[in-house]
């Protein structure tokens, strides 16, 4: 039996080595090239298949000598396909003697070995991204260098897909389902800054909804230009067979960005498929714009207009608005100075955080200067949001994507809000809320949607100790007037699995 198992393991390995189009190579000397295109494919997720097809497109698109594509590709751990590979691979792709040459490389720091067929990496780790860029710096001499990050995306904050484990920060790109990890904007920029590659000509993000001023701000000092999408990128992603020749052309950086965006737009005939390109360090564009924005923020007063004209975005990005909504004519002209291309006729090409309902503090939420470089360039914007909170309605409306399904992720209600409106959006959803210093609250009432009965429980704490667990009475009310407490945890849930994404419930605080 042992011999048979060994044969089953060895035969696929032999077949793959015999029929693979790749050469295996342990790189020890530096290669010289004119253009180096670095592609970071985080495909250990639902984009597993896309990694393979995008690689094939890149190979078809490369037709220039002295240019190299270096790819770190991560895929699912699974059984071998007849004509594919799985797990993690490091490839060098170049054009020699009128044909494409693909070399599979190895690197101990990356954890990539050509001797095994089951290498596994954490593509959601900043350390892995940094190691990939360090490898490129140590093994290649180049005139121009470009970077592409390929994965799912969600702007500066899409909510942490793995909130049960990573509760400290919100992540948005390069998710790895194997490691249950992903990159925050700060981790992404930190990996690039410490990689010893001084500067990129173009950084591209083949990922949904990355085009926000918060993401762009993280790349100041790291790239001349940036290409990304304000909305959804289709699963097929960038048309690399056409993008690669444009990237390696002799045109200047500005025109390359224009060409790549135009090729992308031509590839999709969809109303809400967007792509945009911006100057980041070119002409100090982004930094100069943010300095102007910092001086302008205090003049914004059209709060209602911003809310009423909130643009449509992908469903998990309802807490952003089109940047154009908050700019006056003078600022719009300054914005045009950094915009290279925008394919959309319904937004300006980049978004900014402006949630429909504000309820957070600098201490309890993630939109802080410690997490986002944007707020270091433009600190007045956070003060602007906090000031808007103080003048907003006492009715607080939370949409059904709020990340408070666990007590540790409780949504903080800042008094004097006297009413909360939200949803239970799936069978297992639980909504947790936290009221700090809530001595003036004497009762809490739950009003369920029509024809649906939800449940209410309240946990009372004094000096960090649980003193009482209370449940609603026949009037769906919890009376707090007989207790001495300083903190309240509230849970709204459905004992019978009922839920509604159309009809909200209401919590009345009195």
């Amino acid at each position: 039996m042992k011999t048979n198992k060994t044969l089953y393991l060895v035969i696929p390995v032999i077949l793959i080595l015999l029929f693979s189009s790749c050469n295996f190579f342990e790189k020890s000397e530096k290669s010289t090239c004119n253009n180096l295109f670095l592609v970071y494919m985080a495909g250990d997720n639902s984009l597993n298949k896309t990694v393979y097809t995008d690689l094939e497109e890149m190979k078809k698109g490369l037709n220039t000598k002295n240019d190299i594509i270096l790819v770190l590709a991560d895929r699912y751990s699974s059984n071998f396909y007849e004509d594919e590979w799985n797990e993690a691979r490091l490839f060098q792709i170049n054009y020699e003697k009128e044909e494409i040459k693909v070399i599979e490389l190895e690197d101990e720091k990356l954890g990539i070995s050509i001797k095994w067929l089951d290498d596994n990496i954490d593509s959601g780790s900043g350390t892995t991204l940094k190691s990939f860029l360090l490898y490129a710096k140590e093994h290649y001499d180049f005139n121009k260098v470009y970077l592409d990050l390929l994965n799912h995306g969600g702007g500066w904050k899409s909510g942490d897909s793995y909130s049960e484990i990573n509760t400290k920060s919100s992540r948005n790109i390069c998710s790895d389902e194997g490691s249950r990890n992903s990159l925050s904007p700060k981790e992404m920029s930190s990996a690039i800054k410490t990689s010893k590659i001084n500067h990129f000509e173009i950084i591209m993000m083949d990922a949904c909804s990355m085009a926000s001023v918060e993401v762009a701000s993280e790349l100041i000092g790291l790239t001349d230009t940036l290409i990304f999408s304000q909305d959804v990128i289709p699963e097929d992603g960038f048309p690399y067979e056409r993008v690669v020749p444009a990237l390696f052309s002799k045109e200047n950086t500005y025109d390359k960005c224009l060409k790549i965006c135009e090729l992308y737009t031509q590839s999709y005939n969809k109303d809400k498929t967007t792509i945009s390109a911006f100057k980041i360090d070119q002409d100090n564009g982004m930094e100069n714009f943010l300095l102007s924005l910092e001086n302008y923020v205090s003049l914004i007063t059209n709060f209602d207009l911003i809310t009423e004209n909130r643009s449509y975005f992908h469903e998990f990005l309802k807490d952003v608005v089109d940047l154009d909504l908050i700019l006056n004519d003078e600022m719009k002209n300054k914005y045009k100075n950094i915009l290279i291309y925008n394919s959309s006729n319904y937004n300006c090409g980049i978004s900014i955080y402006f949630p429909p309902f504000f309820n957070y503090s600098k201490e309890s939420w993630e939109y802080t200067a410690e997490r986002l470089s944007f707020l270091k360039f433009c600190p007045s914007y956070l003060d602007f949001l906090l000031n808007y909170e103080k003048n907003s309605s006492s009715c607080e409306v939370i949409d059904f994507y709020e990340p408070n399904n666990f007590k540790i992720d409780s949504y903080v209600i800042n008094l004097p809000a006297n009413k909360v409106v939200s949803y239970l959006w799936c069978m297992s959803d639980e909504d947790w809320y936290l009221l700090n210093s809530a001595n003036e609250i004497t009762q809490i009432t739950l009003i369920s949607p029509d024809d649906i009965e939800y449940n209410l429980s309240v946990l009372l704490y004094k000096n960090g100790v649980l003193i009482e667990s209370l449940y609603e009475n026949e009037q769906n009310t919890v009376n707090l007037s007989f207790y001495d407490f300083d903190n309240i945890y509230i849970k709204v849930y459905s004992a019978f699995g009922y839920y509604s994404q159309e009809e909200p419930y209401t919590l009345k605080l009195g």
Side-chain angles (χ1 to χ4, degrees):
M1 294 296 291
K2 185 175 181 180
T3 302
N4 289 340
K5 288 182 179 179
T6 303
L7 285 174
Y8 282 128
L9 290 172
V10 171
I11 288 174
V13 174
I14 294 174
L15 289 174
I16 288 174
L17 291 177
L18 285 174
F19 294 106
S20 173
S21 63
C22 299
N23 297 311
F24 298 117
F25 184 66
E26 184 174 354
K27 201 167 185 60
S28 57
E29 297 181 357
K30 276 196 171 187
S31 296
T32 301
C33 60
N34 183 34
N35 295 294
L36 178 62
F37 183 25
L38 304 180
V39 185
Y40 189 78
M41 291 183 162
D44 193 353
N45 47 53
S46 61
L47 295 177
N48 181 58
K49 184 74 176 179
T50 304
V51 168
Y52 183 76
T53 55
D54 283 344
L55 264 174
E56 292 302 305
E57 288 180 8
M58 291 176 194
K59 289 161 63 176
K60 292 177 182 178
L62 181 56
N63 56 17
T64 52
K65 299 177 182 178
N66 202 31
D67 295 326
I68 292 175
I69 305 174
L70 183 67
V71 182
L72 179 61
D74 192 18
R75 302 185 75 211
Y76 272 143
S77 302
S78 62
N79 295 326
F80 293 111
Y81 301 97
E82 291 182 2
D83 59 349
E84 299 179 15
W85 46 270
N86 64 309
E87 303 266 3
R89 297 288 187 272
L90 180 63
F91 294 114
Q92 174 186 297
I93 308 172
N94 61 305
Y95 187 76
E96 285 186 14
K97 299 178 181 179
E98 309 302 321
E99 66 178 10
I100 295 296
K101 185 177 181 182
V102 181
I103 300 174
E104 186 175 338
L105 305 169
E106 68 176 355
D107 182 58
E108 183 178 342
K109 295 178 182 178
L110 270 172
I112 301 292
S113 170
I114 59 176
K115 300 173 184 177
W116 305 102
L117 298 173
D118 60 351
D119 292 321
N120 194 14
I121 63 170
D122 180 4
S123 53
S125 166
T127 300
T128 305
L129 175 59
K130 176 184 174 180
S131 297
F132 171 58
L133 300 178
L134 282 171
Y135 180 92
K137 179 65 175 178
E138 292 169 359
H139 292 89
Y140 297 89
D141 284 325
F142 45 82
N143 293 324
K144 296 180 180 179
V145 60
Y146 316 86
L147 174 63
D148 184 15
L149 299 175
L150 186 154
N151 187 242
H152 292 298
W156 77 269
K157 185 186 80 70
S158 62
D160 189 352
S161 300
Y162 312 116
S163 60
E164 293 180 64
I165 294 178
N166 299 323
T167 59
K168 294 183 178 180
S169 65
S170 182
R171 312 288 181 125
N172 74 326
I173 194 170
C174 295
S175 60
D176 187 308
E177 291 187 6
S179 65
R180 298 179 66 82
N181 200 8
S182 54
L183 289 176
S184 68
K186 194 173 187 69
E187 288 171 320
M188 173 189 68
S189 61
S190 177
I192 297 173
K193 287 175 184 176
T194 55
S195 69
K196 299 182 181 179
I197 296 180
N198 293 330
H199 212 262
F200 290 91
E201 185 173 355
I202 300 173
I203 290 180
M204 303 190 301
M205 295 183 180
D206 192 348
C208 294
S209 306
M210 294 305 297
S212 71
V213 291
E214 292 85 1
V215 172
S217 300
E218 294 297 332
L219 298 175
I220 291 175
L222 301 177
T223 184
D224 284 336
T225 55
L226 177 61
I227 299 174
F228 49 5
S229 173
Q230 194 176 358
D231 210 307
V232 176
I233 283 186
E235 185 177 354
D236 292 339
F238 285 25
Y240 289 102
E241 189 172 351
R242 303 174 70 190
V243 165
V244 169
L247 199 65
F248 291 162
S249 69
K250 295 182 180 180
E251 294 180 332
N252 60 45
T253 305
Y254 188 97
D255 289 337
K256 285 181 181 180
C257 289
L258 277 176
K259 185 66 174 178
I260 292 170
C261 290
E262 289 170 352
L263 291 171
Y264 174 88
T265 302
Q266 294 165 9
S267 298
Y268 300 104
N269 185 21
K270 297 182 179 180
D271 292 338
K272 287 188 177 292
T273 299
T274 66
I275 199 73
S276 53
F278 289 85
K279 297 178 182 178
I280 302 299
D281 291 344
Q282 193 173 75
D283 303 326
N284 292 320
M286 185 58 69
E287 185 171 357
N288 288 338
F289 175 76
L290 292 181
L291 291 174
S292 298
L293 185 63
E294 163 69 6
N295 295 326
Y296 163 74
V297 164
S298 61
L299 303 178
I300 302 175
T301 57
N302 58 335
F303 306 116
D304 293 337
L305 183 63
I306 295 170
T307 302
E308 290 173 7
N309 293 280
R310 180 176 298 276
S311 302
Y312 166 81
F313 289 96
H314 198 51
E315 57 188 12
F316 54 80
L317 282 178
K318 292 181 178 178
D319 59 356
V320 302
V321 297
D322 196 54
L323 180 63
D324 197 53
L325 287 178
I326 72 169
L327 302 181
N328 61 13
D329 290 340
E330 181 181 354
M331 285 300 299
K332 287 178 182 179
N333 288 330
K334 292 183 178 181
Y335 172 77
K336 290 178 182 178
N337 292 331
I338 64 171
L339 179 66
I340 299 173
Y341 182 97
N342 176 36
S343 65
S344 173
N345 58 7
Y346 68 93
N347 58 33
C348 74
I350 199 166
S351 63
I352 191 168
Y353 181 59
F354 192 96
F357 306 100
F358 298 98
N359 194 322
Y360 61 90
S361 65
K362 291 183 179 180
E363 293 74 27
S364 65
W365 199 237
E366 298 167 347
Y367 203 73
T368 65
E370 289 73 26
R371 294 185 184 277
L372 296 167
S373 296
F374 168 66
L375 292 174
K376 294 180 180 178
F377 288 102
C378 195
S380 294
Y381 190 71
L382 178 55
D383 295 329
F384 156 72
L385 293 181
L386 292 169
N387 183 62
Y388 181 79
E389 175 193 355
K390 294 176 183 178
N391 296 285
S392 63
S393 168
S394 62
C395 177
E396 187 166 337
V397 184
I398 315 300
D399 72 24
F400 50 84
Y401 290 99
E402 76 280 8
N404 63 334
N405 200 51
F406 303 92
K407 182 171 178 286
I408 194 172
D409 296 322
S410 293
Y411 191 97
V412 180
I413 299 175
N414 293 319
L415 299 175
N418 58 31
K419 189 164 60 174
V420 173
V421 179
S422 190
Y423 301 77
L424 291 182
W425 69 280
C426 68
M427 187 177 298
S428 59
D429 190 18
E430 294 181 354
D431 281 358
W432 283 88
Y433 302 93
L434 170 62
L435 281 75
N436 293 316
S437 303
N439 293 327
E440 62 269 37
I441 300 297
T442 59
Q443 68 177 29
I444 300 172
T445 302
L446 171 64
I447 303 174
S448 298
D450 293 339
D451 302 322
I452 299 178
E453 182 178 349
Y454 291 154
N455 306 95
L456 172 67
S457 67
V458 176
L459 306 180
L460 304 182
Y461 281 78
K462 182 70 173 181
N463 298 323
V465 178
L466 176 64
I467 60 171
E468 196 71 42
S469 297
L470 304 174
Y471 299 89
E472 79 269 30
N473 56 28
E474 293 181 358
Q475 289 74 42
N476 300 314
T477 296
V478 174
N479 193 332
L480 310 176
S481 48
F482 305 106
Y483 301 93
D484 180 23
F485 56 88
D486 48 33
N487 286 338
I488 302 175
Y489 281 95
I490 303 170
K491 181 173 76 168
V492 180
Y493 62 101
S494 174
F496 301 102
Y498 299 127
Y499 65 95
S500 174
Q501 297 182 2
E502 298 179 354
E503 296 295 330
Y505 65 82
T506 300
L507 278 177
K508 295 182 68 175
L509 313 174

